Structures are given as C-alpha cells and as structure tokens.
Amino acid sequence: MKITVLSGKGGTGKTTVATNLALSLDNVQFLDSDVEEPNSYIFIEPNFEESMVVNRKVPVIDKTKCTSCRQCVDFCEYNALALLGDDVHLFSELCHSCGGCKHICPEGAITEEDRKAGEIKFDNEVKGLQFGQGELSIGEASAIPVIEALKEHIDNDKSIIMDAPPGTTCPTIEAAVDADYCILVTEPTPFGLHDLKMAVEVVRVLDKPFGVIINRSDHDSDKIIEDYAEEEGISILLKIPFSRQIAQLYSNGTPFIEAMPEWENKFKDVFSKIKKVFE
Amino acid sequence: MKIAVSVNNNTGLDAELDPRFGRADYFAIFETETEEVNFINNAAKNAAGGAGIQAVQTIADQGVSAAISGNMGPKAYDALKAAAIKVYVTKGGTLQEVIKAYEAGALVEVSGPTNAGHAGLR
C-alpha cells in the first residue's frame, strides 16, 4: 500500500500528517519527495547511511558536425538551447532531459552526458521505520528525476507513506501518480479550500481514491471544507485541531504523537479507513 | 548598427523602457544610421522558464549589437555575452530618451548580471 500525502496549498500540514501517520504505523517506509525543500527529516532525525547521486542526461553538441540549422533550438520547449553567433549554446539547468534535440538533429551532432540533478539518501532504521528523502541540486529546474530515483527504492513489502511536494504541478503528480491512495491535507480557510479544489482535480484525473484531513481544524471555520466535501462526496478522514501545543511541538521539531500518544490511535484509524477502501 | 531596447508598448518613440528584459512586452529595434525603429513582439514574455534566453535569441536574430533594459538576469547575460551583444542598463524613461542617452554615451555598460535569476513566471 502506497499512500501519498499532498495538498494544493503549501504550509497546510503535509509534513505534520505524513510524519505522524508514518510514526503511528508498523512496517513503514517513509519517503520525503518534496525534493526542493525536504523537511520531514527534522522530525524523523535520520542518520543517513546511504546516499546516491541522481544524474540526468543533457545534450552535448559536436561543433564540428553542427551546421547551425537551429532545428534543436526551435524544438526545445524549455529554452535550454539558443543559437548565438554560429554556435548552439546549452543552458543545462533549463534542460528537462527529454532527449528531443538529439532525435531532431539532422546531422547527428548531439549526444548526451550526465549532469547531477540531486541526491537520494536513506536511513534504514530510525524511529521504527525506513526513511528516505530526495534533495534537488540548487539551480535545477526539474524535480522529476530525483523523485523518480527515490521511487525506484520503494519497498512493496512495507506500507509506504510519501510526503509530496506542495502544489499541483509535475513534481506533485510524479509523487502521486503510482499511489494507491492520496491523503489531501487542507486548512479551513478560503485559500485552503481553493487549493484543495485544485488538488481534488488532480487526484480525480489520476483516478486515485482519496480522503481529506483538515489541519488547524476549528469547529466554526471547518464548515467551509465540510460543506464542499459533502457536496462532492469526499470523506474527511481526520481533523487535527488548531492547538497551541501542536504548533509548539512542530516548531521544536517534535512529531506531536510523541508528546500526545493518544493521537497514535487516531492515525491508526485513518490507516484502517484507507485499507477499508480496498476491501 | 542595431540596438534593442526592452519597452512596454509598440506605439513609437514615447514607449516607456520596460525594466524587465526577458519578460518585456516588446523590443524596439533601433537602427542608429537610419534612425529607423521597428517593434517586435517578445514571444518569451509568457515562457514558463528560460524567458531571458529566448528573448536574447529573438534580438540576436535581428542582428543587434547592443541591448538596453532595466535589469539583466544571469542567464540572459550569459546568452548576450555568447552572442557578443553589449549590455546596457538604465533606470527608465521613454524610448527616445534611452536612445539619446545611449548615443551620448551616457549609459553604463555592465559586465555582469544586474539581478538574481528567478525561475519561471514570478
């Protein structure tokens, strides 16, 4: 079972939900795929024993074969190539490694070489789980190669909890596309609702079963999310209250179930509810 | 010789300098000998990324020798350098004022990017 925790809006509580859920369950592989800014490690405190470089392909142009026909430049959707003077110039941090230029070049002047896109790191035993995270190199345009590399290490004998990147763009989709179930974290504000709707749109296109967790829940304001969920037939899996204690624990880097053990069962219940979807 | 100025409309010499280079609305291509001015659309304006590079490609294709804008990001700067296009920045004013200042030698030629890059539309 692979569960991806996502949210349209950043800062709604993906990491709070993912870390506390992962720590509440047994036999978990917890993967932080928010590779632009992984922060689950703050709560898990891993000691990374394994680290692997993630490479991606970028073009190399053989100037002796290039005729400056600029077909590659016109083809590149990401403006990674420009014909300046007589030479094709590569701006490799913009390249998405699609390989299209190599195929389009009529002179066979383009080959590929590796460029470091980031790293993936693992601690196989920390706080009772296996932890892994991806880290995108500074200046890289695309998070996808690093998320893909992280996913190659998925252990299907475990329950996989994946903390997804915020938003609803390619990296988030990469983290959710092969999930069995998606947890959408939101907050009871108009902004939270707006971005929840975008996240719902994504998981519906991906055809994933999903449920919502309301973070910073407050009885009166929850209605904005509850009304929407009812209208759309979306189940609300859990509400995490807007509590000073939880906020303080978060700011100290402590997963709140460690200080509030009664929450462990609530997260276990969430997992049971999710498993029932597949029965 | 031709120079390119990033501008915010294509109405004429009263067009204002667009302080953004890669995402400027238009480029005014000014021919110093004939004093003729042509406006070209900046197709890079709404590019998801790499707008600076695409904009350099656009003006390089026009055969310009100098580019004038309010700021020049690192990738645009590198591309302009590769294209052997000189880079000048100025604070603002109309196209006419900018051209006058350029011709009077009052603009500063820069030897590096003038602002940090920012990935994508921001």
Side-chain angles (χ1 to χ4, degrees):
Chain A
M1 166 88 80
K2 183 191 163 201
I3 298 170
T4 296
V5 181
L6 64 151
S7 71
K9 185 179 170 300
T12 48
K14 278 183 304 299
T15 300
T16 299
V17 167
T19 49
N20 285 290
L21 176 64
L23 291 168
S24 300
L25 308 177
D26 299 323
N27 192 29
V28 165
Q29 185 187 38
F30 180 25
L31 300 172
D32 190 347
S33 70
D34 185 2
V35 302
E36 287 182 63
E37 206 161 14
N39 63 346
S40 299
Y41 74 91
I42 295 168
F43 302 91
I44 304 296
E45 299 177 277
N47 183 12
F48 291 118
E49 54 212 7
E50 264 185 274
S51 143
M52 281 156 271
V53 169
V54 180
N55 286 318
R56 64 185 183 86
K57 300 288 184 198
V58 294
V60 181
I61 295 136
D62 182 345
K63 283 184 188 175
T64 61
K65 290 186 185 166
C66 176
T67 59
S68 307
C69 74
R70 78 180 284 167
Q71 287 187 42
C72 58
V73 172
D74 294 336
F75 176 82
C76 183
E77 191 64 24
Y78 304 102
N79 299 316
L81 295 168
L83 178 65
L84 304 169
D86 289 331
D87 294 333
V88 172
H89 289 257
L90 168 70
F91 294 85
S92 56
E93 62 273 38
L94 292 173
C95 170
H96 280 51
S97 305
C98 74
C101 53
K102 189 178 79 176
H103 292 285
I104 212 117
C105 177
E107 310 298 333
I110 300 180
T111 51
E112 288 178 319
E113 67 177 5
D114 282 336
R115 174 186 161 95
K116 184 181 169 183
E119 278 180 51
I120 50 172
K121 295 175 175 178
F122 294 91
D123 185 341
N124 291 317
E125 182 60 57
V126 54
K127 292 194 178 183
L129 48 76
Q130 189 199 21
F131 182 70
Q133 74 176 27
E135 294 174 14
L136 186 67
S137 293
I138 290 168
E140 283 292 294
S142 172
I144 306 294
V146 181
I147 300 174
E148 277 175 345
L150 192 64
K151 291 201 303 188
E152 280 169 20
H153 292 264
I154 280 180
D155 179 353
N156 284 313
D157 293 332
K158 290 184 158 79
S159 297
I160 296 124
I161 308 294
M162 182 172 269
D163 192 1
T168 48
T169 57
C170 300
T172 307
I173 291 166
E174 187 61 39
V177 71
D178 43 15
D180 297 306
Y181 190 93
C182 290
I183 295 176
L184 274 44
V185 185
T186 188
E187 59 181 31
T189 63
F191 193 1
L193 174 65
H194 176 272
D195 285 8
L196 172 63
K197 286 178 179 171
M198 300 199 335
V200 166
E201 214 178 306
V202 168
V203 292
R204 281 189 172 150
V205 170
L206 296 177
D207 202 19
K208 300 294 175 193
F210 66 98
V212 166
I213 290 183
I214 303 179
N215 190 27
R216 289 193 278 275
S217 159
D218 176 73
H219 184 72
D220 294 331
S221 33
D222 284 356
K223 204 171 159 1
I224 187 170
I225 303 294
E226 287 166 339
D227 286 353
Y228 167 72
E230 197 183 328
E231 229 171 82
E232 295 284 327
I234 299 167
S235 61
I236 294 175
L237 302 165
L238 184 71
K239 293 177 183 180
I240 300 170
F242 195 6
S243 120
R244 188 173 184 89
Q245 191 189 0
I246 291 175
Q248 260 169 355
L249 288 165
Y250 185 90
S251 63
N252 290 328
T254 307
F256 72 84
I257 61 152
E258 286 178 3
M260 302 160 80
E262 68 276 17
W263 277 85
E264 191 172 314
N265 278 331
K266 297 191 186 186
F267 280 103
K268 282 192 166 129
D269 287 347
V270 167
F271 190 59
S272 305
K273 280 183 204 168
I274 292 170
K275 277 201 293 192
K276 276 204 182 107
V277 174
F278 298 94
E279 275 166 15
Chain B
M1 65 177 264
K2 284 178 176 175
I3 59 171
V5 183
S6 62
V7 285
N8 66 0
N9 67 58
N10 60 351
T11 51
L13 288 170
D14 59 345
E16 293 277 332
L17 178 90
D18 194 323
R20 305 160 304 169
F21 175 73
R23 297 191 187 280
D25 291 314
Y26 298 92
F27 289 108
I29 308 295
F30 181 75
E31 170 59 71
T32 51
E33 274 111 65
T34 61
E35 303 211 326
E36 227 179 306
V37 60
N38 275 311
F39 291 91
I40 51 171
N41 246 324
N42 179 18
K45 187 184 167 188
N46 296 314
I53 291 160
Q54 198 186 339
V56 172
Q57 183 74 71
T58 302
I59 62 166
D61 290 346
Q62 298 289 320
V64 305
S65 314
I68 305 169
S69 188
N71 269 304
M72 212 62 83
K75 290 204 260 315
Y77 181 80
D78 287 349
L80 287 162
K81 215 175 145 193
I85 296 171
K86 288 184 173 176
V87 184
Y88 298 86
V89 293
T90 181
K91 283 212 158 65
T94 64
L95 177 58
Q96 183 145 37
E97 289 163 352
V98 170
I99 290 169
K100 249 188 200 159
Y102 171 77
E103 291 187 323
L107 296 186
V108 192
E109 185 179 346
V110 296
S111 53
T114 61
N115 65 352
H118 39 98
L121 276 170
R122 262 187 225 169

